[in-house]
Amino acid sequence: MDPSIKQHLTEAVEQKNGEYALIRDAEIPQLSIYDKPLPCFGCGIGWFSLLLGFVFPLMWYYATILYFGNYYRKDPRERAGLAASAIAALICTIALIITIAILVF
């Protein structure tokens, strides 16, 4: 048996009654990285940027830069929100181009 697995098993046995024990996955110790809440009120930077972008559209472009900069590799839970903000930035850009084209021509 792997010594690190044995260590996790003995840690659980050594816990006193009435105390909380940190639950870890013995096979994948990095799994507990995603236990902490996301930034920006728990919804993540991407979804927060999407919502704030309706008031301040430059936030969509900021989130798009983060998306194409692979920011979501730090925390994969951010990927959906950043992608949604990138799509909103694309729609906003197309709407601006059409509006400007109609007004100029």
Side-chain angles (χ1 to χ4, degrees), residues 13-80:
V13 172
E14 292 174 358
Q15 285 292 323
K16 296 179 183 178
N17 289 335
E19 293 183 10
Y20 290 104
L22 180 62
I23 298 174
R24 294 184 187 148
D25 189 357
E27 295 175 4
I28 309 172
Q30 294 177 340
L31 196 59
S32 63
I33 293 173
Y34 306 118
D35 289 341
K36 58 184 176 180
L38 290 169
C40 297
F41 308 107
C43 67
I45 294 172
W47 292 114
F48 186 75
S49 296
L50 178 72
L51 294 174
L52 193 61
F54 289 105
V55 177
F56 187 64
L58 291 177
M59 289 300 292
W60 290 332
Y61 296 101
Y62 171 70
T64 302
I65 291 169
L66 290 178
Y67 180 70
F68 287 119
N70 293 328
Y71 178 79
Y72 57 84
R73 289 194 185 197
K74 292 181 183 178
D75 192 347
R77 299 177 293 173
E78 293 278 0
R79 187 175 195 164

Side-chain angles (χ1 to χ4, degrees), residues 76-97:
R77 299 177 293 173
E78 293 278 0
R79 187 175 195 164
L82 292 173
S85 294
I87 292 169
L90 176 68
I91 292 170
C92 181
T93 303
I94 291 171
L96 281 173
I97 290 173

